[in-house]
Amino acid sequence: METRKKLPLATQIFIALVLGIIAGLLLQSHADFADSYIKPIGTIFLNLLKFIVVPIVLFSIMAGIISMSDIRKVGSIGIKTVCYYLCTTAVAIVIGLVGGNLFKGFFPILETSELSYEASEGIPFMDTVVNIFPSNFIAPLSEATMLQVIVMALLIGFAIILVGDEAAPAVKGINSFNAIFMKCMEMILKLSPIGVFCLICPVVATNGAAIIGSLAMVLLAAYICYFMHMLIVYSFAVKVMGGMSPLAFLKGQLPAMIFAFSSSSSVGTLPINMKGCEKMGADKEVTSFVLPLGATINMDGTAIYQGVCAIFIAACYGIHLTPSQMVTIVLTATLASIGTAGVPGAGMVMLAMVLASVGLPLDGIALVAGVDRIFDMGRTVVNITGDASCALIVSNLERKKAAKKAS
Ligand code: ASP
């Protein structure tokens, strides 16, 4: 990103965030205006990101696999990545459950008769598995079904390696398209300060201070858990396995965090997260594989949110959760977070699956639905930070492995 005498993009995004919040507070009594005229500009920006994200995921994963030119290397990175993602997600839910329990005394027992929330039916587990595999070449691309796009990219990438010489023109073509779409992405990212301003302003204008007040405790519990997870789990992992100072990591991660906070979309934040990780020293071949996968399946913030909200909803209905129910929550929330799409609001839909698994009333979602966006902003920050920590750790481990082999 060019910096010629201009403020760095990260600073621009930060300023845009602060200005957006101030403008939102000022516009509280004109929330309609913010919704009708400012939000659409944010939507245009999000649309551009959505447009770019499918080709980025497709080509960057293919290019990443091809560049490794060795199926064993892809396997080694893949196994490390998936293990890290699953373990950190399980820890995240435990933190969410502990945090929720610590705050339980502050949660109100509510009059629940007026609640209504159209919870969508949880999708059966096996259907979720089946849905990962595409049955059509075009549909996953046009509908942006990210898990299916990833499967396509993996299949084609492996096939190219196996075909060998005959696939040389395809390798060239894929690398060239990858470069082109990366350039497009860079152009779109230059607009991110405007995008951030226009996304955050209407959120603040409509949610205002009042609604936050009534749910302050559960929000506080979730945010404390988000921070704990980032400060303890990621910092420790990055330090021990990534050989990097946690402070340098969090600092380098800041632009992506701010972006995630305002967009509430892991997938939308993917381009900026990739850039940030490469700047912090992650290998391109690793980021191009680990980050798109993480933006799709690794949602630690969402897992924390599901843990805290399950406890909150149980408390509001005066239900006491048993330890075995908590274990069930850990298992289902891990699966639910994998199935959560990296777009705004997706985690709340998956909360239904977690509540249903332990027989909690789905109507309870109505309690948190009003402030879901505020939960979402924080959980998305955690989601993408988890992906980034994984990219740095796997890069470091692979580098060490290569050095060991060479010596
Ligand atoms: N908005 C979150 C994300 O994109 C997903 C969620 O709703 O939990 O990472």
Side-chain angles (χ1 to χ4, degrees), residues 152-219:
M152 278 172 69
L154 291 173
L155 262 178
I156 301 172
F158 284 136
I160 289 175
I161 295 181
L162 293 173
V163 167
D165 285 349
E166 216 178 312
V171 172
K172 233 175 152 188
I174 287 170
N175 284 332
S176 152
F177 272 115
N178 194 29
I180 294 170
F181 284 114
M182 286 288 174
K183 195 68 195 168
C184 281
M185 174 189 88
E186 223 168 80
M187 286 153 55
I188 296 170
L189 283 184
K190 289 210 170 122
L191 302 174
S192 38
I194 302 174
V196 164
F197 177 91
C198 296
L199 287 170
I200 199 82
C201 173
V203 173
V204 176
T206 24
N207 284 302
I211 186 160
I212 303 170
S214 61
L215 286 156
M217 274 306 169
V218 61
L219 279 168

Side-chain angles (χ1 to χ4, degrees), residues 264-266 299 302 340-347 376 379-380 383:
S264 291
S265 169
S266 300
M299 307 272 169
T302 305
T340 303
V343 295
D376 200 0
R379 62 187 191 238
T380 310
N383 291 345

Side-chain angles (χ1 to χ4, degrees), residues 158-399:
F158 284 136
I160 289 175
I161 295 181
L162 293 173
V163 167
D165 285 349
E166 216 178 312
V171 172
K172 233 175 152 188
I174 287 170
N175 284 332
S176 152
F177 272 115
N178 194 29
I180 294 170
F181 284 114
M182 286 288 174
K183 195 68 195 168
C184 281
M185 174 189 88
E186 223 168 80
M187 286 153 55
I188 296 170
L189 283 184
K190 289 210 170 122
L191 302 174
S192 38
I194 302 174
V196 164
F197 177 91
C198 296
L199 287 170
I200 199 82
C201 173
V203 173
V204 176
T206 24
N207 284 302
I211 186 160
I212 303 170
S214 61
L215 286 156
M217 274 306 169
V218 61
L219 279 168
L220 186 68
Y223 270 82
I224 288 178
C225 295
Y226 294 157
F227 276 110
M228 299 296 274
H229 191 66
M230 288 196 287
L231 292 180
I232 299 173
V233 180
Y234 297 152
S235 295
F236 182 75
V238 161
K239 173 97 192 139
V240 175
M241 293 185 282
M244 187 176 182
S245 127
L247 217 63
F249 168 65
L250 292 173
K251 198 168 156 221
Q253 191 55 18
L254 205 59
M257 284 179 174
I258 295 175
F259 192 83
F261 188 76
S262 19
S263 68
S264 291
S265 169
S266 300
V267 170
T269 312
L270 181 57
I272 207 163
N273 210 15
M274 283 175 130
K275 278 240 159 312
C277 283
E278 280 160 28
K279 228 172 157 183
M280 284 190 275
D283 293 333
K284 211 173 173 147
E285 59 178 24
V286 174
T287 51
S288 59
F289 175 78
V290 169
L291 292 182
L293 188 69
T296 317
I297 67 164
N298 183 43
M299 307 272 169
D300 293 358
T302 305
I304 292 175
Y305 153 86
Q306 286 167 343
V308 171
C309 285
I311 302 283
F312 173 71
I313 290 168
C316 290
Y317 282 86
I319 299 169
H320 180 74
L321 289 174
T322 63
S324 81
Q325 280 177 312
M326 301 237 193
V327 174
T328 311
I329 292 180
V330 173
L331 294 177
T332 38
T334 305
L335 291 177
S337 72
I338 292 174
T340 303
V343 295
M348 191 177 74
V349 178
M350 298 307 272
L351 181 59
M353 177 171 152
V354 177
L355 297 182
S357 73
V358 285
L360 285 173
L362 297 192
D363 277 1
I365 295 179
L367 292 170
V368 284
V371 286
D372 183 65
R373 184 58 191 250
I374 300 166
F375 283 112
D376 200 0
M377 297 192 299
R379 62 187 191 238
T380 310
V381 171
V382 183
N383 291 345
I384 58 112
T385 306
D387 303 341
S389 68
C390 183
L392 289 160
I393 288 169
V394 174
S395 291
N396 187 45
L397 295 179
E398 286 297 310
R399 251 180 254 142

